């Protein structure tokens, strides 16, 4: 009897240990399933992000890059126009320097005192020593420099 009782107690203890270990396994399995679900959710989110990136990349490749190339070609034309304009401004500056030098030279040769003032000065009556005539310089014939024509650089466009 004690032996049967002891056997019965052992069987019950075995069931309790088995059930408790089964519960532990069940809890571990549930935790594992929950972790797997979270990982699957993250994988789905990652795949969604990859699809968005692919779509954005294809949009960039198909739409934006050709637009950028077109704008770059427009910019090259604009840079060429700027270079031509810089050359034009430099040429105009050189012409202005030439004209300035000629005006300075003409003022030195002729004198910068305007003739109207000279006439007034002489009509007032000046002392005899101021009435001495100055030797007249030989005037050189003025030859205008060859300048640019605006129409050559900026053609008139009929609208």
């Amino acid at each position: 009897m004690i032996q049967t009782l002891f056997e019965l107690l052992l069987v019950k203890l075995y069931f309790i240990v088995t059930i408790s270990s089964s519960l532990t396994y069940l809890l571990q399995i549930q935790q594992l399933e929950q972790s797997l679900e979270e990982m699957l959710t993250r994988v789905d989110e990652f795949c969604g992000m990859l699809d968005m990136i692919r779509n954005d990349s294809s949009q960039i490749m198909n739409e934006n890059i050709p637009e950028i190339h077109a704008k770059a070609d427009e910019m090259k034309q604009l840079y060429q126009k700027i270079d031509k304009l810089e050359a034009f401004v430099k040429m105009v500056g050189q012409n202005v320097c030439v004209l300035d030098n000629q005006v300075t030279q003409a003022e030195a040769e002729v004198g910068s005192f305007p003739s109207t003032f000279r006439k007034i000065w002489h009509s007032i009556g000046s002392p005899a020593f101021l009435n001495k005539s100055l030797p007249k310089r030989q005037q050189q014939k003025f030859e205008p420099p060859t300048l640019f024509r605006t129409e050559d650089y900026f053609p008139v466009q009929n609208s």
Side-chain angles (χ1 to χ4, degrees):
M1 180 137 126
I2 291 184
Q3 190 176 8
T4 26
L5 198 63
F6 184 71
E7 286 176 2
L8 188 62
L9 191 61
L10 276 175
V11 169
K12 284 184 180 184
L13 186 62
Y14 176 75
F15 282 124
I16 291 174
V17 168
T18 307
I19 290 175
S20 101
S21 65
S22 295
L23 287 175
T24 306
Y25 288 129
L26 282 176
L27 284 174
Q28 288 177 348
I29 290 173
Q30 285 177 344
Q31 289 174 350
L32 182 63
E33 284 179 353
Q34 187 178 10
S35 295
L36 287 173
E37 285 294 323
E38 288 176 11
M39 290 177 82
L40 283 174
T41 303
R42 290 204 175 113
V43 168
D44 285 341
E45 290 173 356
F46 182 73
C47 288
M49 285 185 1
L50 281 178
D51 288 340
M52 285 186 345
I53 291 170
R54 282 188 196 122
N55 290 337
D56 289 347
S57 296
S58 65
Q59 179 186 5
I60 288 170
M61 294 298 289
N62 294 332
E63 295 174 12
N64 296 356
I65 289 182
E67 289 176 7
I68 291 171
H69 282 292
K71 290 292 181 186
D73 291 339
E74 289 177 23
M75 292 301 291
K76 286 179 185 176
Q77 292 174 358
L78 184 63
Y79 292 150
Q80 289 173 350
K81 288 180 182 180
I82 290 171
D83 290 341
K84 288 179 183 178
L85 188 59
E86 284 178 343
F88 176 75
V89 167
K90 182 178 179 182
M91 187 256 323
V92 169
Q94 291 171 344
N95 284 338
V96 168
C97 284
V98 167
L99 289 175
D100 186 45
N101 289 338
Q102 287 182 350
V103 167
T104 304
Q105 182 182 359
E107 285 177 346
E109 288 175 1
V110 176
S112 61
F113 202 60
S115 63
T116 309
F117 291 124
R118 260 192 237 138
K119 289 178 186 176
I120 293 172
W121 180 256
H122 287 290
S123 67
I124 293 176
S126 55
F129 69 90
L130 291 176
N131 284 336
K132 290 182 186 176
S133 61
L134 297 171
K136 293 201 174 192
R137 297 181 198 159
Q138 184 181 8
Q139 288 187 349
Q140 296 176 354
K141 186 175 180 182
F142 175 69
E143 294 181 26
T146 305
L147 297 177
F148 67 92
R149 290 178 30 94
T150 308
E151 294 82 18
D152 294 340
Y153 294 93
F154 299 102
V156 178
Q157 296 178 351
N158 295 332
S159 298

